[in-house]
Amino acid sequence: MLKENLERVHQAIDAACKRVSRDSSEVTLIAVSKTKPLSDLEAALDLGELEFGENKVQELVDKYEHIKSPVHWHMIGHLQTNKVKYIVDKVTLIHSVDSYKLAAQISKEALKKQVDVDILIEVNVAEEESKFGLKTEETLDLVREIAKLPNIHIKGLMTIAPFVDDPEDNRMVFRSLKQLSVHIDSCQIDNVSMEILSMGMTGDYTVAIEEGATMVRVGTGIFGARNYNV
Ligand SMILES: *Cc1c(COP(=O)(O)O)cnc(C)c1O
């Protein structure tokens, strides 16, 4: 089933790219493996996946220690400052930076461990109460401040769009994030690039790609439904 799922997702990515004349190589698939056992990750690895997304520090660290192959780990969930130290030297990208305080902690721990950490700024485009992330209008000022910190590099923006039945309902959310990234890019801030746009999940990643996503985070569509009660 995993093989078929992955094939279907890759085909859908290719088709979405084609519709808007983008090259599939511009879009990176993050296999969101949260709650899934190591055996699922290993199976995906065998099928050629190298980018894995986790949303909990403890789970990411456990999996990091057990998967011996050099895969790329993406922290996609809300991150508490006191847990930053466990992951700064293990992750390829932190997608969920939503405050100066968190960025400053990442910078501090990165300096201590002598590593450089790439991050995305999480924007709550739809301004949902239940979600983390900055408001669109706060983002540029925060980017300017975070950009001054050592050992941390802003590579783009991330958003978690609302849960909707019709993915078309999220098109404007994705378009707004893209517009914000173009605006920030035009400000030419030192130590800031807007090369990554992390948006789109199982329900809406093809729409996100049509609107410019360079990273899509797909869990259910690859690994099947999650069971949180185990
Ligand atoms: C769980 C999660 C995903 C994947 O969600 P699916 O709907 O299963 O594809 C993507 N991004 C974030 C931040 C998540 O927490």
Side-chain angles (χ1 to χ4, degrees):
M1 190 178 83
L2 182 68
K3 187 161 183 276
E4 288 73 26
N5 286 352
L6 273 171
E7 278 169 6
R8 188 161 15 81
V9 172
H10 280 293
Q11 277 165 13
I13 291 173
D14 291 347
C17 284
K18 214 169 201 170
R19 284 197 289 280
V20 290
S21 304
R22 295 182 65 193
D23 196 291
S24 312
S25 65
E26 292 172 30
V27 178
T28 301
L29 173 63
I30 315 286
V32 177
S33 46
K34 64 187 186 195
T35 80
K36 296 294 175 180
L38 283 171
S39 54
D40 281 7
L41 276 82
E42 277 156 0
L45 238 168
D46 285 344
L47 292 164
E49 297 308 316
L50 282 175
E51 314 289 330
F52 292 92
E54 291 287 336
N55 70 336
K56 294 216 159 64
V57 167
Q58 185 62 53
E59 192 175 344
L60 191 153
V61 171
D62 282 347
K63 285 173 173 168
Y64 174 93
E65 279 163 5
H66 284 92
I67 301 275
K68 292 297 169 219
S69 321
V71 305
H72 292 155
W73 295 101
H74 295 258
M75 178 61 192
I76 61 172
H78 183 63
L79 182 56
Q80 289 170 304
T81 50
N82 62 338
K83 295 194 176 162
V84 167
K85 57 177 177 284
Y86 302 116
I87 62 159
V88 278
D89 54 346
K90 299 183 177 67
V91 292
T92 294
L93 184 65
I94 299 176
H95 292 229
S96 45
V97 176
D98 62 355
S99 70
Y100 183 79
K101 186 171 159 239
L102 176 58
Q105 186 67 21
I106 294 169
S107 168
K108 187 176 146 197
E109 292 296 335
L111 202 56
K112 228 192 254 177
K113 292 201 162 73
Q114 289 295 303
V115 293
D116 280 80
V117 182
D118 289 344
I119 63 160
L120 304 179
I121 304 298
E122 180 172 352
V123 186
N124 184 0
V125 177
E127 298 196 11
E128 289 183 284
E129 295 256 353
S130 58
K131 296 222 166 93
F132 294 102
L134 297 166
K135 288 188 182 160
T136 300
E137 63 269 23
E138 302 171 329
T139 306
L140 179 59
D141 284 347
L142 192 86
V143 164
R144 288 190 195 281
E145 291 310 307
I146 293 176
K148 297 173 192 159
L149 293 165
N151 294 54
I152 185 170
H153 310 290
I154 298 176
K155 295 291 176 187
L157 305 177
M158 177 271 225
T159 197
I160 303 175
F163 189 79
V164 291
D165 286 327
D166 181 357
E168 283 298 331
D169 292 345
N170 279 336
R171 186 176 292 279
M172 287 305 153
V173 170
F174 299 138
R175 194 169 291 178
S176 300
L177 193 71
K178 171 71 183 184
Q179 280 168 354
L180 179 61
S181 87
V182 168
H183 175 59
I184 294 174
D185 201 34
S186 74
C187 297
Q188 301 197 337
I189 305 161
D190 274 353
N191 192 29
V192 174
S193 107
M194 284 287 131
E195 68 202 76
I196 298 175
L197 215 46
S198 170
M199 58 188 193
M201 304 171 28
T202 295
D204 55 19
Y205 66 95
T206 58
V207 173
I209 290 169
E210 289 170 9
E211 296 300 328
T214 69
M215 279 188 182
V216 291
R217 311 176 307 265
V218 180
T220 312
I222 295 174
F223 297 108
R226 287 178 292 274
N227 181 359
Y228 287 100
N229 306 315
V230 285

